[in-house]
Amino acid sequence: MSQERTKSKHKGFASFLLPSRPPNKVGVAVNRSQSAKEANLKNLAISKRPLSFNMKNGTLKKAGDFLEPPLMPLKRENSLSESNLFNEEHESLIEKPLERYGSHESVLKEAVSCLHKIPTVKARERNYLHGKIGANSLLGPPELDRMCPNRELTIFVGTWNMNGHSPPKELNDFVLPIGMKHVPDILSFGTQESCSERLEWEVSLQETIGPSHILFHSSSLGTLHLCIFIRRDLIWYVSVPEDASLSVRPGSAFRTKGAVASAFMVFGTSFLFVTAHLTAHQEKVKERVSDVKRIVNSLDLPRSLPCKNKAKDVTQNFDYVFWSGDLNFRLATPRSNVLEWLSHTSFPLPAHLPHGYMHHDQLCTVLADGAAFRGFSEAKITFPPTYKYDPGTQNFDSSSKQRTPAYTDRVLYKQKNSRRLSGALEHPPLQCLVYDSVQSITTSDHKPVWGMFRVYLRPGLDTIPLAAGMFNRDVYLEGLKRRAETLSRSKDTSTVCSLQ
């Protein structure tokens, strides 16, 4: 009887999000009584998302199929305005045991409302416009400083050639890698040779990231797919998204090579994300360079977003550009030499030492001589080649083709930084904080690659066309439903006792 009572609790999806009341609107914080929180949190089990550490000795503790909670939680806060989730007057979540905060949803349930009372006297006052910016405009400096005091955002850019296979059930190593201290404010995922179930892929990403982010925009072309998640806090400060695509094989019915791009603004700063799949084969460097030139001159962006002196080269029209994908540039050196080097090399490579074979890399040569990707940079590569592996293994290509290991999967970045009258840059340089691959995923013949960046925002004008809170609600609800089901299964497993 006791088992039946235990299982009958919280069967509905809403009970796992906000057990004491129906789900609230997206982006609105919820504050409940302490007794209600304790009643619903004390039975929480720890699911596999996120991984937990034993902070005493820095190791993972495993009990059965699930990780035991540590005495202190692994701190993975969002980097934008952490004060939105923590109130200094309340007890910090870090000081509470993880048993009460077993999942990402639990952190959000502790969010304290930031809404302040607006005096009627102030509302009666008339604010006159100064130029195009109101005294209290939605995208102006006061609101930007309130939302983001340091005016910084962190951007995650991931790329993966999926080889047409379904992704693994566990995506933490790619979406929320252990080396990433904070959950980024914006996450972009570009895939090539994507799996046929695009909705399943997007829901899997939403399930892994959790309720703090929403799927803002996604677009695809043939086997290319690009989706962008942003923090819920930011949905009122983002412009309408724009996208464009180009197939570099227009005569082909099945489009596998080309590019997909998405553009939008956050406050007054513009972003362009591009994922591309360029011409394959070792010797076709000129064809890949030609692909890049066609893409940058054919993508018509922006269309409605403000842009001064719109250039033919699409990458010159935005403050920040992130270009990722299977660019197919290879190592121009014999396979035997590369394999011998790999057999005597430990990864990650030390940051202060030069990479043993990057001077043979075709993309490095193209970047150096300016044949393509002008103005773009790439962080130093310290991980092993990402292509080509036997699927399901960590072994390089053992087929009859015997392809040479190479760094085909890359993330490049570019910043348009105008100078002030004093000669100083308007914004600090764009920083790449981490650049790494995901060796643990073996479903494809490519390894995923990701980079995390720090960018800087500037205030915007209220004439910018806003997205008005637009996001993919279906993906959001389905992703959270699956998180709740995972938590439910873990609770049922932990509460069932065996009778002997």
Side-chain angles (χ1 to χ4, degrees):
M1 180 64 73
S2 61
Q3 297 175 19
E4 295 177 357
R5 291 178 179 176
T6 303
K7 293 182 179 180
S8 64
K9 295 180 179 180
H10 312 314
K11 287 186 177 180
F13 163 53
S15 63
F16 294 100
L17 297 177
L18 301 174
S20 66
R21 63 176 65 175
N24 203 30
K25 293 182 179 179
V26 174
V28 180
V30 176
N31 188 16
R32 305 193 317 281
S33 64
Q34 186 68 21
S35 60
K37 287 183 287 186
E38 292 180 350
N40 290 287
L41 289 174
K42 67 180 182 180
N43 291 325
L44 275 177
I46 308 303
S47 69
K48 291 185 178 180
R49 294 182 174 87
L51 293 178
S52 302
F53 277 99
N54 183 336
M55 301 303 290
K56 287 187 176 181
N57 52 24
T59 60
L60 288 167
K61 295 180 64 180
K62 195 169 184 180
D65 294 331
F66 300 95
L67 298 172
E68 290 185 356
L71 296 179
M72 298 287 285
L74 175 62
K75 189 178 180 183
R76 263 187 186 151
E77 311 92 330
N78 294 335
S79 57
L80 170 64
S81 186
E82 295 174 12
S83 59
N84 291 336
L85 289 180
F86 302 100
N87 191 323
E88 294 179 356
E89 297 178 358
H90 290 71
E91 183 181 355
S92 172
L93 296 180
I94 303 174
E95 298 173 357
K96 300 179 181 181
L98 188 61
E99 287 83 357
R100 296 184 57 200
Y101 302 96
S103 65
H104 196 53
E105 289 89 338
S106 306
V107 178
L108 285 179
K109 282 188 270 186
E110 285 295 310
V112 180
S113 175
C114 298
L115 296 178
H116 60 278
K117 298 183 183 298
I118 303 174
T120 308
V121 176
K122 292 292 184 182
R124 286 173 177 265
E125 297 177 358
R126 298 296 188 263
N127 292 321
Y128 295 94
L129 296 178
H130 301 276
K132 292 184 179 179
I133 302 180
N136 295 298
S137 63
L138 179 64
L139 302 179
E143 191 73 3
L144 173 58
D145 292 336
R146 186 185 71 84
M147 281 299 299
C148 187
N150 54 15
R151 298 194 176 187
E152 295 179 359
L153 284 185
T154 49
I155 310 289
F156 175 99
V157 180
T159 179
W160 185 23
N161 184 321
M162 303 179 74
N163 195 28
H165 292 87
S166 298
K169 293 182 179 180
E170 181 59 68
L171 288 171
N172 269 346
D173 286 353
F174 181 30
V175 180
L176 299 172
I178 292 297
M180 189 167 65
K181 183 179 179 182
H182 302 279
V183 180
D185 304 310
I186 299 176
L187 299 98
S188 167
F189 298 92
T191 54
Q192 310 82 44
E193 297 185 21
S194 310
C195 62
S196 58
E197 297 294 333
R198 305 293 171 81
L199 178 61
E200 280 294 313
W201 169 241
E202 292 173 355
V203 170
S204 296
L205 293 172
Q206 180 74 73
E207 179 188 1
T208 305
I209 299 170
S212 62
H213 291 64
I214 49 91
L215 177 56
F216 174 60
H217 186 64
S218 64
S219 56
S220 60
L221 172 71
T223 60
L224 289 164
H225 183 254
L226 176 65
C227 57
I228 296 172
F229 291 80
I230 68 171
R231 281 181 57 123
R232 295 189 332 190
D233 316 54
L234 293 172
I235 60 176
W236 301 110
Y237 309 98
V238 184
S239 74
V240 293
E242 299 180 346
D243 59 67
S245 59
L246 175 72
S247 173
V248 295
R249 293 180 178 175
S252 174
F254 193 62
R255 297 178 177 179
T256 60
K257 299 296 190 293
V260 176
S262 291
F264 57 92
M265 297 184 72
V266 182
F267 284 92
T269 301
S270 57
F271 294 88
L272 175 67
F273 294 87
V274 181
T275 188
H277 195 182
L278 307 182
T279 300
H281 304 302
Q282 176 93 13
E283 68 281 359
K284 294 191 176 182
V285 179
K286 291 183 179 180
E287 288 79 357
R288 286 190 278 275
V289 171
S290 176
D291 290 345
V292 174
K293 291 181 178 179
R294 288 181 58 192
I295 291 169
V296 299
N297 291 316
S298 300
L299 296 179
D300 183 22
L301 291 172
R303 293 185 290 272
S304 300
L305 301 178
C307 177
K308 293 182 179 179
N309 304 320
K310 184 177 177 180
K312 183 67 174 177
D313 183 344
V314 68
T315 65
Q316 297 181 22
N317 298 329
F318 297 89
D319 296 313
Y320 296 103
V321 182
F322 298 95
W323 189 307
S324 63
D326 180 1
L327 307 185
N328 259 320
F329 289 98
R330 312 299 175 92
L331 292 177
T333 191
R335 170 185 166 91
S336 58
N337 292 1
V338 177
L339 292 178
E340 182 181 2
W341 171 70
L342 291 172
S343 65
H344 295 91
T345 304
S346 298
F347 295 92
L349 297 172
H352 63 281
L353 294 180
H355 191 296
Y357 272 88
M358 289 313 292
H359 59 284
H360 295 286
D361 180 74
Q362 295 173 347
L363 180 56
C364 288
T365 302
V366 168
L367 289 171
D369 60 22
F373 295 114
R374 287 190 178 180
F376 281 89
S377 302
E378 182 183 24
K380 186 174 182 180
I381 292 178
T382 61
F383 46 87
T386 58
Y387 172 86
K388 171 181 171 71
Y389 293 81
D390 294 331
T393 74
Q394 299 288 1
N395 303 322
F396 288 104
D397 184 23
S398 61
S399 68
S400 58
K401 295 184 178 180
Q402 296 284 293
R403 295 177 179 86
T404 302
Y407 294 93
T408 59
D409 311 278
R410 313 287 274 268
V411 178
L412 307 178
Y413 54 93
K414 180 179 181 180
Q415 177 183 19
K416 181 175 70 174
N417 212 333
S418 58
R419 296 182 179 272
R420 297 176 178 174
L421 295 177
S422 61
L425 294 177
E426 183 180 3
H427 295 296
L430 169 61
Q431 291 181 277
C432 181
L433 305 177
V434 187
Y435 190 33
D436 204 356
S437 65
V438 185
Q439 293 297 121
S440 61
I441 293 181
T442 61
T443 55
S444 170
D445 57 350
H446 289 250
K447 299 297 184 183
V449 172
W450 62 278
M452 190 165 71
F453 305 85
R454 178 184 290 122
V455 301
Y456 301 88
L457 300 179
R458 64 166 176 262
L461 306 178
D462 281 356
T463 53
I464 294 172
L466 291 175
M470 177 182 67
F471 69 97
N472 193 319
R473 183 175 181 271
D474 293 337
V475 169
Y476 182 83
L477 291 179
E478 181 62 25
L480 267 62
K481 178 182 177 181
R482 294 188 185 183
R483 286 178 70 95
E485 290 172 350
T486 300
L487 180 61
S488 177
R489 288 194 297 268
S490 66
K491 289 177 64 178
D492 290 343
T493 303
S494 62
T495 57
V496 173
C497 59
S498 58
L499 300 177
Q500 297 182 0

